[in-house]
Amino acid sequence: MWLPHLLVDRHPGVPPEPSNRHDGQVPELPEVESVRRQLAPRLTGRRIIAVEVTPQARFVRVGECAGRRIEAVGRRGKYLLLPLEGGRELVMHLGMTGSLRFDAPDPYVRATFALDQGTLHFRDVRRFGRLAVVEAGDYAAIPTLASLGPEPLSEDFRPEGLHAALRRSRMAVKPFLLSQRPVAGVGNIYADEALWRARINPHARRIGRDRAAALWAGIRDVLAEAIEREGTTFRDYRMVNGESGRFADFLLVYGQAGRPCARCATPLTKVVLGGRGTTYCPACQRR
DNA sequence: CTAACTACCTGAACGC
DNA sequence: TGCGTTCAGGTAGTTA
């Protein structure tokens, strides 16, 4: 299970596990939102004194953070957006293995922000995460963010709008969702979960109004429930009870290939679609 | 412009 | 036991 490691160091002096598969659920919108909620009280109003980064192409103009105060901690889709004083904005994407931590650094820390109160580390085993400082609101250098769809839990995301977007696209529905254009923040895990809830085959290219509305509801419901579960996870985590909480049985499709569908008991099928592992029920998600 | 494809990156799991 | 191969996946850049 993936946990945002934002709490104080539980095991001082003990190196963290280098694992990146089983310690990590890839952060999608609910995980990034949970990170945002934990970061906001600790970062809002703080001044970045200095920044230290390991040089890599996915870090752009990060040095321009130095000396600036953080005005807010926001989020769009899977991107964290931190407006800085002086008309700049720090954009952070956790990629697949990124986390933001206030505890002790380790060899996987790729960037360190020294604050007027505390130190924030950006840890990222696989280096898929991105950090960039831009002029506030200017996302031209970040194409996915620039053309990002509506926030799924906002009023900007509507069943009719999703239906219209699906009609305009000629892609299969799942890769289209992953493009971030019809809606922001849906990744591989929640795409499979939402399509299962809506009983839509991930290969489908023509989706009517009713099914689009079902997908709209499936996306909103699964993301909202996942955000709630993160809260539960945090509480369990703080209690150090060693259990994975109720998250294990939350995912009904992703990672469940071969196991019976929770609706009809047909074994779930796994295929590769658009280069991504895709699990669905061949019976209740017929084409 | 849209869609399809590939590179990037790393450690775990797997096969022999 | 050891070593080489495969896999996972979000985004950006390139190509058709």
Side-chain angles (χ1 to χ4, degrees), chain A residues 18-24 26 56 58 94-98 108 110 122-129:
Chain A
S19 156
N20 64 57
R21 178 165 297 188
H22 293 295
D23 81 343
V26 175
Q56 48 194 291
R58 290 184 174 90
L94 300 178
M96 297 182 58
T97 55
Y108 299 109
R110 314 300 186 189
F122 179 69
R123 180 180 189 266
D124 187 11
V125 172
R126 280 193 194 164
R127 303 177 190 259
F128 271 32

Side-chain angles (χ1 to χ4, degrees), chain A residues 3 27-28 30 38 42 76 108-109 115 132 137 141 146 148 216 219 275-276:
Chain A
L3 295 168
E28 300 187 25
Q38 294 217 357
R42 297 190 66 165
R76 274 284 279 133
Y108 299 109
V109 167
L115 309 172
L148 196 63
W216 171 84
I219 291 167
R276 295 292 171 255

Side-chain angles (χ1 to χ4, degrees), chain A residues 95-108:
Chain A
M96 297 182 58
T97 55
S99 62
L100 291 158
R101 312 161 60 130
F102 289 102
D103 59 3
D106 65 46
Y108 299 109

Side-chain angles (χ1 to χ4, degrees), chain A residues 41-60:
Chain A
R42 297 190 66 165
L43 292 185
T44 305
R46 298 279 61 75
R47 185 178 299 280
I48 300 170
I49 304 299
V51 188
E52 199 173 315
V53 300
T54 62
Q56 48 194 291
R58 290 184 174 90
F59 293 165
V60 177

Side-chain angles (χ1 to χ4, degrees), chain A residues 43 83 95 103 122-123 134 152 159 171 178 185 191-192 194 201 227 234 236:
Chain A
L43 292 185
D103 59 3
F122 179 69
R123 180 180 189 266
V134 300
M171 301 172 69
L178 295 184
D192 279 3
N201 187 289
I227 289 172
F234 285 141
D236 292 347

Side-chain angles (χ1 to χ4, degrees), chain A residues 196-220:
Chain A
W196 181 84
R197 288 177 180 229
R199 306 185 188 222
I200 294 172
N201 187 289
H203 301 87
R205 291 174 194 268
R206 300 170 64 88
I207 293 176
R209 178 173 273 105
D210 290 351
R211 308 184 83 200
L215 181 56
W216 171 84
I219 291 167
R220 287 177 59 107

